[in-house]
Amino acid sequence: MDREQALRDLSAADEIAGRVRRRGTWYAGFCAGAAAASLAGVFAIGMSPDPWWTVPASALIAAFVALAVYGARQPVSPRGFAAWHTGSMAAWGVLYAAALGIGMAVFPGEISWWMPAAAATTLPFLAAGAAALRAARRPA
């Protein structure tokens, strides 16, 4: 291989790496969708009278299933995807359980609890989405 061929191959490899990083930005959209679903779902669950909270809970589950199917169909995962996704889902699970557990026991139907609690459940997804976008813009 001569010097010119090596430079062409390196340039092609850099272009492919850039395309792969850009294709990984889907996870930021996934996280935005998960954050929106969590915000709406947690708020609706908290503000729904008993036993009607099962309707928004089912909608929230359906949204997460749809997002999971969307994510599974993507051809490229961003670098660090497993850690971001596992961390964001675990943190969301803790916040979700706390929001619903405390809210249903102590603050049923109180908007002053449910709006901030619903907003707090979006934070892990927003952080993971921002990290995915940052990684996609970073050179290899």
Side-chain angles (χ1 to χ4, degrees):
M1 178 184 297
D2 65 357
R3 178 177 166 72
E4 294 302 317
Q5 180 62 40
L7 288 173
R8 281 192 302 273
D9 289 349
L10 284 172
S11 177
D14 285 345
E15 173 59 29
I16 291 169
R19 278 190 304 210
V20 167
R21 272 194 316 279
R22 287 188 299 276
R23 286 285 299 163
T25 59
W26 69 266
Y27 189 60
F30 174 96
C31 288
S38 183
L39 179 69
V42 170
F43 184 73
I45 290 167
M47 296 304 292
S48 294
D50 291 329
W52 293 103
W53 64 267
T54 58
V55 173
S58 298
L60 181 62
I61 290 167
F64 276 107
V65 168
L67 286 166
V69 169
Y70 168 76
R73 299 191 67 207
Q74 298 307 304
V76 175
S77 292
R79 176 177 247 156
F81 168 76
W84 293 338
H85 189 61
T86 302
S88 66
M89 291 304 289
W92 175 80
V94 169
L95 291 171
Y96 179 78
L100 265 58
I102 295 168
M104 295 261 188
V106 182
F107 303 107
E110 290 187 32
I111 196 168
S112 61
W113 167 262
W114 290 105
M115 198 63 220
T121 65
T122 68
L123 297 176
F125 296 125
L126 297 177
L133 286 177
R134 211 172 25 258
R137 293 186 182 124
R138 190 177 318 136

